[in-house]
Amino acid sequence: MGKVIVVTSGKGGVGKTTSSAALGAALAQNGDKVAVVDFDVGLRNLDLVMGAERRVVYDLVNVIQGEAKLTQALIRDKRVETLYLLPASQTRDKDNLTPEGVEKVIAALKKAFDWVICDSPAGIERGATLAMRHADIAIVVTNPEVSSVRDSDRIIGLLDSKTLKAENGERVEKHLLLTRYDPARAQRGDMLKVDDVLEILSIPLLGIIPESMDVLRASNLGAPVTLADGRSAPAMAYFDAVRRLKGEALPITIPGEKRGFFGKFFGRKAA
Amino acid sequence: MTAVLTQPRPIRLKGRSFLALALSPELPFEDWLVRLDDLAARSAGFFLRRPAVLDVSELKIDRSELRALVEQLAKRNVRIMGIEGARPSLLGPDMPPAMSDGRPASDFEAPTAEKSEGTEGDETEAAGAPAAEARMPAVPPAGRAMPSVIVTQPVRSGQSLFFPDSDVTVVGSVASGAEIVAGGSIHVYGTLRGRALAGTTGNATARIFCRKLEAELISIDGFYKTAEDLDPELRGRAVQIWLEGESIKTETLG
């Protein structure tokens, strides 16, 4: 039985889709079978980020409405054999996502895959609540910035009340993924510090993804950043996050901190 | 020139709970209204001056049907003070406001109980007593000991904890955009970033305690201060807040 991960945030534009694709590709490169499901009906993007936009025939809504089989809708990645995408519908109304339909699809995916990653739409409406409904693990994507942090806090509240696990008295395992972290701006005080975000949200940190041109470049190439350039800083941060997700106790590195802090410190001493 | 208000008198925002009659209409409304008329005919003035809430949570109706129902009830002198369980799209600005978080209370005894063919005299007598009881909710005496509620998880943005009859202790933080409303005192063993409203049911002796004050708004017995009105010195400190007369007092804790 696979694990269901929801990648969620409340706020838009913080990196949910980028992270879903990057984490999915990273997990699949270890040989795990991964399905990444786009829940953003009407505004799908995951197909673009994963470079499958020209191969979409059927989508999640088709499967839910019984117009296509799950196996027909799943798109296998051309680069990694064990990575699959279930795209969202771009033309249908989001009301076509029914709780019963989503439940069926997730149950079927759980049987066939090791990981089912649900890429949640922004907001706290139907799409977002359905994406988190069946989650075992939640990855809360947050930017070091006050409105993103507050929205994430709201989402954590929903994870604790609106998910199936919460309703059964269990708890969804929650992790914080801090994205678009800019060490230079954090040092200037233009961004919230990592500790401040952790103090406010009080959930464990899965990783810190640095702000980087590599992410944008990879998106435009149609490749998850962990596939486009595995040696880039954001890709390495996602690989580390995946190792932590699988239970490894890996110390968190704050991007740029070593150079920034120690460089200055020693520089001054030597002078 | 900007006008500067010196020492503005605070506006009191108080919480109150009232016992209201909740009407749960059933479809089709025509039949239900006939039954209501029947009830009203047998007990003139049953609905008179009684606040009534319309509970439509189980009904599949549209806006015009709901509006028509409210009008029909108004014709019968039943004035609806609020509507419970309606989707926001059902309510317009000219309709009674939405109500939520209603807590069940003891049922109102309709003057003509289900037994339809009884001796008339008996029925009215029997019904009179419980109705009078229901009209007077038990008001606890002042100065009573407050029960206490302990919350062991952080209170997240968008959550609202409402405990009109107790003290609240939060082991964790209260997030920006979260709210705690308590009849008694509020204790936060963490950072208070959201709103804390203590003593909302008319308890001027209630206090607010927190380990780190970053609150958006604090209020005791309806007197409130926003973050702007609070002494900037107190920010980030452990603080207690209480009421003296009509002014809110603050003090840092050890």
Side-chain angles (χ1 to χ4, degrees), chain B residues 50-90:
Chain B
R50 265 201 188 147
V53 171
L54 204 56
D55 179 2
V56 295
S57 43
E58 300 292 316
L59 300 177
K60 283 200 169 154
I61 47 170
D62 62 24
R63 193 163 165 167
S64 59
E65 286 173 301
L66 182 60
R67 189 191 303 271
L69 178 66
V70 172
E71 278 165 14
Q72 284 293 325
L73 287 167
K75 266 190 212 159
R76 292 162 170 79
N77 285 326
V78 182
R79 298 202 42 201
I80 302 298
M81 60 177 281
I83 297 182
E84 191 181 12
R87 280 167 285 131
S89 59
L90 280 179

Side-chain angles (χ1 to χ4, degrees), chain A residues 150 153-154 156 199-201, chain B residues 156-157 159 175-176 191 193:
Chain A
R150 190 205 262 183
D153 193 63
R154 181 92 167 86
I156 296 169
E199 206 263 319
I200 294 174
L201 295 180
Chain B
R156 304 287 182 182
S157 185
Q159 291 177 338
S176 155
T191 310
R193 295 193 177 85

Side-chain angles (χ1 to χ4, degrees), chain A residues 75-92:
Chain A
I75 304 171
R76 176 190 274 197
D77 191 271
K78 286 195 166 159
R79 296 149 294 206
V80 187
E81 276 208 335
T82 53
L83 180 61
Y84 288 78
L85 163 70
L86 182 56
S89 172
Q90 182 74 346
T91 50
R92 299 293 193 89

